[in-house]
């Protein structure tokens, strides 16, 4: 779990910076690549984390794991989109990744029964 937190927090920061800065610059591309690697790594790590809230499949996977699969699909397709010059598709996928996998999934981590809820709200 801590590996996930150590990768998702910098991904959140880099994703936020990337959204705010001018697109297409060398800096944007560099932090974008780091962001994508962090997001892929953290998504793979979450597949080994058992769901503790709600129904599970195989006594392991929960609804929250859908965000992991979303990330594993979105990162490579967004990368391929920008490599072939499809800026519109790349932008859409990166926004989906940021808001879906970081903001929405991150929001779920503060629900009762989850680790960060207990850390932040006792």
């Amino acid at each position: 779990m801590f590996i996930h937190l150590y990768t998702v927090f910098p991904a959140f920061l880099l994703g936020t910076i990337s959204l705010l800065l001018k697109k297409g610059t060398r800096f944007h591309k560099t932090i974008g690549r780091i962001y994508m690697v962090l997001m892929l790594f953290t998504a793979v790590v979450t597949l080994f984390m058992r769901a503790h809230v709600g129904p599970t499949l195989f006594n392991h996977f929960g609804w929250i794991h859908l965000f992991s699969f979303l990330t594993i699909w979105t990162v490579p397709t967004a990368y391929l989109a920008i490599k072939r010059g499809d800026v519109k598709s790349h932008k859409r996928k990166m926004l989906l990744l940021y808001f879906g996998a970081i903001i929405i999934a991150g929001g779920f981590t503060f629900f009762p029964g989850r680790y960060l809820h207990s850390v932040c709200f006792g």
Side-chain angles (χ1 to χ4, degrees), residues 49-65 108 111-115:
M49 297 169 61
R50 185 181 170 281
H52 295 282
V53 177
T56 59
L57 179 65
F58 305 121
N59 200 30
H60 182 83
F61 297 104
W63 291 109
I64 196 78
H65 287 99
F108 285 136
F111 277 29
R114 305 291 306 253
Y115 175 74

Side-chain angles (χ1 to χ4, degrees), residues 19-38:
L19 283 174
L20 298 173
L21 294 179
K22 182 178 178 179
K23 310 306 181 260
T25 64
R26 175 177 277 176
F27 186 65
H28 171 81
K29 292 175 185 180
T30 300
I31 66 170
R33 286 183 185 108
I34 297 167
Y35 170 73
M36 289 177 138
V37 168
L38 286 169

Side-chain angles (χ1 to χ4, degrees), residues 3 5-6 17 20-21 25 28-29 38 46-49 53-54 66 72 76 85 95-96 105 107 109 115 119:
I3 293 171
L5 292 174
Y6 293 145
I17 292 167
L20 298 173
L21 294 179
T25 64
H28 171 81
K29 292 175 185 180
L38 286 169
T46 61
L47 294 177
F48 295 96
M49 297 169 61
V53 177
L66 292 175
I72 291 167
L95 286 171
L96 171 69
T109 65
Y115 175 74
V119 167

Side-chain angles (χ1 to χ4, degrees), residues 7 18 22 25 30 42 44 54 57 61 70-71 75 78-81 85 89 91 94 100 104-105 112 115 118:
T7 57
S18 184
K22 182 178 178 179
T25 64
T30 300
T42 199
V44 170
L57 179 65
F61 297 104
L70 168 77
T71 301
V75 169
Y79 179 78
L80 292 173
S89 177
K91 180 180 180 178
M94 294 309 288
I104 294 172
Y115 175 74
S118 65

